[in-house]
Amino acid sequence: MEKLTFKNMPQALGLILEKLAEIEQVLSIKKQSEDKFSEVMGVREAGMFLKLTKSTIYTKVSRGELPAFKSRKRLLFHKTELLEHMQLNKKMSSYQLKKEADLRIRQLPKTRKYTY
């Protein structure tokens, strides 16, 4: 490290501010990732989030249709897991289904329709 003098003070201060900005950015990214995984909801909050009744939530959990975990006697949900579940289980439109079917048909091996 070079000696700090009055002449190189502006450069040193600029370097310190750059490093500080980098540290703040790393800390904010870390905090965001912690917030995503720390958001736990109860049955009522999950019902409001998914727009389902409490009884529907309990039914879907018992069938294994919703990701949940128990803490003591309480049923809890991770918000990120519920979001992932919603993305994986969304229904495709008829246009998307037709497009997917056409793509799969094109990938089938060519075979003769009639055999003698």
Side-chain angles (χ1 to χ4, degrees):
M1 184 171 183
E2 64 183 74
K3 190 174 179 182
L4 187 60
T5 63
F6 190 73
K7 282 185 177 180
N8 63 6
M9 188 81 91
Q11 294 168 341
L13 186 58
L15 183 63
I16 289 171
L17 291 174
E18 286 177 21
K19 295 291 183 183
L20 182 62
E22 289 175 13
I23 291 169
E24 286 175 338
Q25 185 178 12
V26 168
L27 289 175
S28 70
I29 291 171
K30 184 177 178 184
K31 186 177 184 309
Q32 287 173 356
S33 67
E34 287 175 357
D35 288 345
K36 286 181 184 177
F37 293 108
S38 67
E39 193 163 346
V40 176
M41 297 185 280
V43 175
R44 187 177 358 162
E45 294 88 9
M48 288 171 38
F49 179 69
L50 297 172
K51 296 183 177 140
L52 299 172
T53 63
K54 282 175 64 172
S55 61
T56 305
I57 294 286
Y58 282 115
T59 303
K60 287 185 175 286
V61 169
S62 68
R63 290 181 184 165
E65 296 174 8
L66 279 179
F69 65 98
K70 279 194 169 184
S71 176
R72 297 182 187 158
K73 292 185 176 186
R74 291 188 61 198
L75 195 60
L76 300 173
F77 304 86
H78 284 289
K79 186 173 183 177
T80 53
E81 288 180 356
L82 291 176
L83 287 170
E84 289 172 5
H85 175 76
M86 288 169 49
Q87 287 296 319
L88 291 174
N89 293 320
K90 68 179 181 179
K91 293 186 178 181
M92 290 195 283
S93 67
S94 58
Y95 173 76
Q96 290 172 324
L97 287 171
K98 183 178 181 329
K99 192 174 176 181
E100 181 74 22
D102 289 342
L103 181 68
R104 289 186 184 208
I105 288 171
R106 285 189 207 131
Q107 292 175 349
L108 289 174
K110 302 278 183 183
T111 58
R112 293 184 181 178
K113 289 186 179 180
Y114 305 104
T115 56
Y116 298 101

